Amino acid sequence: MDLESIPGAKVVEHYIEEVVDILTYGGNETDIQINYGMLLLSICCWCLTVLRLFFNLKDFLAFLISCLYILFMVQILSCLLLHCTGISGVWCAMVGFSYRTWLRIPSDRSLINRLIILGTFASYLWANIYYFQQGTESYFTTFCHLAATWLGYEANYFWYRSQEERTKLYEGRQKKSK
């Protein structure tokens, strides 16, 4: 069966090519290395700061996968609408969320955790300075990075409020079962 004989196949093929272009930065190896490196660091930072807020690993992994899915969908839709490429909104939002968690909750302050968390924040600043110095087009990128970071930071407030309510509910169930 020929793809051209299927109605809408060209449109779907076009969008698949655009999504691949978005996720691969149009083949720009420097952007790929910086942004996927930052994604890895932000996931590590997220794990160190947010994991403590969950009752078990299964709930945490479900939360992490759900958040990554939502963040990637928002990033891809934004890039399709704005005709840009990249995943930087994902790691910026994760850094913002992690930063507010780190400020709010005294998580494990062991040396290795502090180094990873502070290294992530330093890398975040370096990446934004790098893109800002790239010129006019990158001012928009820097603005988008800051906006995504702010959204992650503010999303933490709403998530934390619901987390407090879940904790009270969980503790209430534990008391009833005893």
Side-chain angles (χ1 to χ4, degrees):
M1 184 179 214
D2 187 22
L3 271 179
E4 291 181 14
S5 64
I6 301 172
K10 285 285 189 194
V11 173
V12 171
E13 184 180 9
H14 170 73
Y15 281 113
I16 289 172
E17 288 172 1
E18 278 195 57
V19 169
V20 168
D21 193 51
I22 289 167
L23 296 176
T24 61
Y25 286 86
N28 185 325
E29 289 185 23
T30 303
D31 284 340
I32 291 170
Q33 292 169 355
I34 290 171
N35 287 281
Y36 281 95
M38 283 303 303
L39 179 63
L40 182 62
L41 276 174
S42 66
I43 290 173
C44 290
C45 183
W46 179 283
C47 290
L48 289 174
T49 57
V50 179
L51 179 61
R52 287 164 186 61
L53 305 176
F54 285 87
F55 302 117
N56 60 48
L57 185 61
K58 185 176 109 180
D59 290 345
F60 170 73
L61 289 175
F63 179 71
L64 176 65
I65 291 168
S66 299
C67 287
L68 283 172
Y69 176 77
I70 291 167
L71 290 171
F72 268 99
M73 289 300 107
V74 169
Q75 176 75 52
I76 289 169
L77 289 174
S78 299
C79 285
L80 287 172
L81 291 172
L82 298 172
H83 303 290
C84 61
T85 60
I87 59 154
S88 57
V90 175
W91 58 260
C92 286
M94 290 181 77
V95 168
F97 192 97
S98 297
Y99 183 65
R100 188 164 192 164
T101 303
W102 192 65
L103 290 176
R104 177 178 283 170
I105 297 165
S107 55
D108 183 9
R109 303 289 186 187
S110 69
L111 180 61
I112 190 72
N113 284 3
R114 278 189 263 171
L115 289 175
I116 291 172
I117 291 167
L118 293 175
T120 301
F121 296 147
S123 299
Y124 166 82
L125 291 173
W126 173 84
N128 280 296
I129 290 168
Y130 171 81
Y131 282 113
F132 186 76
Q133 291 177 341
Q134 295 300 309
T136 312
E137 187 177 300
S138 294
Y139 297 144
F140 178 71
T141 301
T142 303
F143 171 77
C144 291
H145 286 181
L146 294 173
T149 304
W150 178 78
L151 286 172
Y153 185 85
E154 289 302 317
N156 180 288
Y157 171 77
F158 294 107
W159 177 81
Y160 188 73
R161 293 278 312 228
S162 64
Q163 177 68 20
E164 286 177 335
E165 293 167 8
R166 283 193 302 272
T167 301
K168 288 177 187 176
L169 181 64
Y170 179 78
E171 288 171 351
R173 287 183 190 159
Q174 293 297 328
K175 288 178 185 177
K176 286 182 184 178
S177 67
K178 289 183 181 178

